[in-house]
Amino acid sequence: MKKFSRFILTLAIACVAIFIFTGNGLDAKAAEKTYLIGTDTTFAPFEYEENGEQVGIDMDILKAIAKDQNFKYEIKAMGFNAAVQALESNQVDGVIAGMSITDERKQKFDFSDPYYESGVVMGVLKDNDEIKSYDDLKGKKVAVKTGTEGYAFAEKVKDKYGFDIVVFDDSAQMYDDVKTRNSVACFDDYPVLAYGVQKGNGLKIVTKQEKGNSYGFAVNKGENQELLEKFNAGLTNIHASGEYDDIVEKYLGKDAIKANETEKGFMGILKSSWPALLDGMWLTIKLAVVSLIIAFIIGITFGFMKVSNSKILRGIATVYVDIFRGTPLIVQAFFFYFGIPAALDFRMPVFLAGVIALSLNAGAYMVEIVRGGIQSVDKGQMEAARSLGLPHKKAMLKVVLPQAIRMMIPSFINQFVITLKDTSIMSAIGLVELTQSGKIIMARTFESTWTWLIIGIMYLIVITILTKVSDRLERRLRND
């Protein structure tokens, strides 16, 4: 029992050290001279990651404008939906993510002058000669990406042409759905699909470009007007200087970069993306360890409350368990990262939001593990301890709990593995853990099969190692 206590104390100290070292404290309002800009992670050629940096038309335009207007900014790549929600909850100052300027969005956001005129096209498999127009889509499925012009266009014409839509969160998944023939076609913004075809996504464009809405830089309604004015002034200047045209030509011109064959296949993905995968794996492990230490403390505390003689304490513990076991983890993550900061008007680091959501969720399951472990100890143990004159609290800590912990260990190990895998859900709020790292790689390479295989192997290796270490710890504790 002493060894177990020392082990938990050591982990707790390490956890605090990691947390402080990574600087995951609440943002101070006074330090907001550097603008925080949200963006998508998988919308090439406007924004995507290459060699560990966010690049693309949007990124280069923002960089040029910031230089022209002399302001500093920090990019927060988190996916389109998460970026828009982060802007609504004031977690970021602005969003640039190929965001179409629509009347609906104008009610919530203030937009810059348009910086790109887009339009929708239809893509099909490059060897598909059956689907040539919208009329060929009757009774079939069409893939679209949420929040895009392609999605809006599909909603507008689906009844006219008699097709069903299948919605995805990023372009790579949408293209994969077509490549696996679950959908016969996809609708996407012309520059995005054209770039994907050029990079070897396996599709071809079969329709003319439909007129669509323009892209704009967005800030919250009535807020960050100085930033908006700087963006507009800088955009005018880079148009006048010709820098804007150079940026667009770089990604969409005839000399734009073609598919990189060195990033194809299992070994190609591994070699080109190894640093990003390791960074994602490290964040996954760190997030799981920190969350589980906190969850263990929560589990012990509320576990004791669950078996106490006080109806009030039992009621509090029961309500906590029911809430966090009765709601999806992704809903909890959205609530802590978007909901609470929006309601209380403060910014929360995404790592902290992930830790809170995972800790409270895993803690609810830990409570039941602790309760079950304590109640599995023979009642005679407590009675014997009390007959020797030990107070209830001391008898619980010195007699019942050590025996209960030995019974809980397998369940604790199982919860550790579950929480490690649950970290992948945090990609929905913009945490670039291992799963999100994979999505970013796929947005650049369009190699989903090999990317997911590599990520699956990495999860398997880490979980296997942790399981073996935990098994060894379990044997040592049982032998104490």
Side-chain angles (χ1 to χ4, degrees):
M1 184 63 190
K2 289 182 179 179
K3 289 183 179 180
F4 183 79
S5 300
R6 286 197 299 270
F7 175 73
I8 292 299
L9 180 61
T10 302
L11 277 181
I13 294 171
C15 163
V16 173
I18 290 171
F19 199 69
I20 293 174
F21 179 74
T22 52
N24 290 299
L26 290 175
D27 293 304
K29 289 284 182 182
E32 289 181 7
K33 293 285 177 97
T34 298
Y35 294 109
L36 191 58
I37 309 299
T39 190
D40 201 350
T41 53
T42 59
F43 199 59
F46 289 93
E47 45 266 331
Y48 62 100
E49 188 174 298
E50 194 169 77
N51 298 322
E53 294 184 3
Q54 288 295 124
V55 297
I57 295 174
D58 283 357
M59 298 297 97
D60 287 6
I61 287 175
L62 182 61
K63 184 178 181 180
I65 290 174
K67 183 179 179 180
D68 181 82
Q69 295 294 303
N70 194 30
F71 67 84
K72 296 180 180 179
Y73 68 92
E74 179 184 338
I75 288 294
K76 195 168 188 179
M78 54 198 311
F80 183 79
N81 289 334
V84 172
Q85 291 181 69
L87 182 58
E88 288 181 297
S89 58
N90 288 314
Q91 294 288 72
V92 295
D93 298 303
V95 167
I96 184 167
M99 191 173 180
S100 300
I101 303 173
T102 64
D103 292 336
E104 183 181 13
R105 286 174 179 163
K106 283 181 180 178
Q107 296 177 13
K108 292 184 177 181
F109 309 120
D110 288 329
F111 283 94
S112 68
D113 296 333
Y115 66 83
Y116 193 88
E117 299 294 330
S118 186
V120 177
V121 290
M122 181 170 74
V124 300
L125 273 176
K126 60 183 179 181
D127 60 355
N128 187 338
D129 297 323
E130 297 178 2
I131 307 297
K132 298 178 181 179
S133 68
Y134 305 136
D135 293 320
D136 299 324
L137 298 176
K138 187 174 182 179
K140 296 180 172 61
K141 294 180 180 178
V142 173
V144 293
K145 178 183 174 181
T146 181
T148 62
E149 283 290 297
Y151 176 85
F153 179 75
E155 282 282 354
K156 181 179 178 181
V157 303
K158 67 176 183 178
D159 293 332
K160 178 180 178 180
Y161 293 105
F163 61 84
D164 296 319
I165 62 173
V166 184
V167 184
F168 296 93
D169 287 331
D170 60 63
S171 298
Q173 292 176 340
M174 177 176 65
Y175 300 152
D176 283 342
D177 200 56
V178 177
K179 287 192 286 187
T180 56
R181 303 179 189 275
N182 291 319
S183 295
V184 297
C186 65
F187 291 160
D188 207 354
D189 293 19
Y190 169 72
V192 178
L193 187 52
Y195 182 83
V197 170
Q198 181 177 264
K199 293 283 283 186
N201 67 0
L203 306 183
K204 64 180 179 182
I205 296 172
V206 294
T207 60
K208 293 181 180 180
Q209 184 174 337
E210 301 282 349
K211 182 174 175 55
N213 292 312
S214 303
Y215 293 166
F217 173 75
V219 297
N220 260 340
K221 199 78 174 175
E223 299 182 20
N224 286 305
Q225 296 303 300
E226 182 183 7
L227 174 60
L228 197 62
E229 290 172 5
K230 288 180 178 179
F231 188 94
N232 285 334
L235 182 62
T236 299
N237 291 343
I238 65 172
H239 267 297
S241 68
E243 188 173 2
Y244 174 89
D245 293 329
D246 292 339
I247 291 171
V248 174
E249 181 70 17
K250 174 183 175 182
Y251 293 96
L252 294 176
K254 62 181 181 179
D255 296 325
I257 300 172
K258 300 295 181 181
N260 186 353
E261 293 302 323
T262 63
E263 291 189 323
K264 299 296 181 180
F266 183 89
M267 292 307 300
I269 297 295
L270 201 59
K271 288 178 181 178
S272 65
S273 306
W274 189 242
L277 290 169
L278 285 180
D279 288 343
M281 189 74 261
W282 165 238
L283 183 59
T284 293
I285 294 172
K286 181 171 66 174
L287 185 61
V289 170
V290 173
S291 300
L292 277 162
I293 291 172
I294 299 172
F296 180 80
I297 296 170
I298 292 172
I300 292 291
T301 303
F302 281 86
F304 279 134
M305 292 169 61
K306 201 76 182 289
V307 297
S308 75
N309 294 324
S310 169
K311 289 184 178 180
I312 295 176
L313 293 179
R314 289 201 307 272
I316 292 172
T318 299
V319 169
Y320 162 68
V321 170
D322 288 347
I323 289 174
F324 285 95
R325 289 181 63 179
T327 55
L329 177 56
I330 192 170
V331 173
Q332 296 164 19
F334 283 146
F335 177 73
F336 288 116
Y337 188 56
F338 299 124
I340 291 179
L344 302 180
D345 191 25
F346 74 97
R347 283 187 177 173
M348 180 181 291
V350 65
F351 184 86
L352 179 58
V355 167
I356 293 173
L358 282 168
S359 299
L360 292 174
N361 183 270
Y365 291 92
M366 292 279 197
V367 170
E368 291 303 302
I369 293 172
V370 171
R371 179 195 60 77
I374 290 173
Q375 291 182 343
S376 67
V377 177
D378 192 292
K379 293 182 180 180
Q381 297 290 315
M382 174 62 80
E383 294 171 357
R386 296 301 302 277
S387 68
L388 294 174
L390 288 176
H392 183 275
K393 183 179 179 181
K394 198 166 187 179
M396 180 67 74
L397 291 174
K398 296 291 186 180
V399 178
V400 176
L401 188 58
Q403 297 179 65
I405 285 178
R406 287 180 171 83
M407 300 179 191
M408 297 176 203
I409 289 173
S411 297
F412 280 145
I413 294 170
N414 185 57
Q415 186 59 48
F416 186 92
V417 172
I418 291 171
T419 302
L420 182 67
K421 290 186 286 187
D422 281 348
T423 57
S424 62
I425 296 175
M426 297 301 107
S427 64
I429 60 172
L431 263 174
V432 188
E433 40 64 66
L434 186 55
T435 299
Q436 184 73 344
S437 297
K439 292 180 181 179
I440 292 171
I441 292 167
M442 280 185 288
R444 183 184 74 248
T445 64
F446 300 101
E447 288 281 308
S448 58
T449 301
W450 297 119
T451 302
W452 285 127
L453 178 60
I454 291 169
I455 289 173
I457 291 172
M458 291 181 72
Y459 271 118
L460 180 62
I461 291 172
V462 171
I463 290 173
T464 300
I465 292 172
L466 291 175
T467 302
K468 296 299 182 185
V469 171
S470 300
D471 288 343
R472 185 175 180 181
L473 174 63
E474 178 184 357
R475 289 194 297 271
R476 289 186 61 181
L477 289 173
R478 288 186 182 280
N479 293 330
D480 281 351

